[in-house]
Amino acid sequence: MFDWMAWTLPVAVFFICIGLMLVGMTVWELKSPTVERKGWLPIATTRGDRLFIGLLAAACVNLAFVAVSEKMIVWFGLEQEPSIWISFVVSMLLLGLILRKG
């Protein structure tokens, strides 16, 4: 049923991180209810809003990396596709930035 999916270690780590974030944010919300604030995003957001926006951004970064990873071989003269860990780290940094400053 799931043969079409590429369940590699980076993919598993990515989904585990998302699950842990959701659990952590739920506990945090129960302990300390959030207040809307205005960061550099153009709207006032709560922690949950910023998490959702950050997860969407992280997914887009990962999908964009997968879309161009084969082309990077030609562009940069690589011998093999670049590691998916690169997009994982970049997407988690972006998510952290959005959660903190958004």
Side-chain angles (χ1 to χ4, degrees), residues 25-77:
M25 291 290 282
T26 301
V27 170
W28 190 8
E29 184 66 29
L30 292 173
K31 297 278 185 189
S32 170
T34 188
V35 177
E36 282 192 358
R37 69 172 173 87
K38 179 97 169 70
W40 54 265
L41 292 172
I43 56 174
T45 58
T46 64
R47 284 190 296 253
D49 297 335
R50 290 188 299 276
L51 177 64
F52 180 72
I53 293 167
L55 287 173
L56 287 177
C60 289
V61 166
N62 280 301
L63 289 174
F65 186 84
V66 168
V68 298
S69 63
E70 286 185 10
K71 294 178 179 140
M72 285 183 187
I73 296 171
V74 175
W75 295 342
F76 302 119

Side-chain angles (χ1 to χ4, degrees), residues 6-16 83-85 88:
W7 285 107
T8 61
L9 180 61
V11 172
V13 170
F14 182 76
F15 281 104
I16 289 169
S83 174
I84 197 75
W85 287 109
F88 174 75

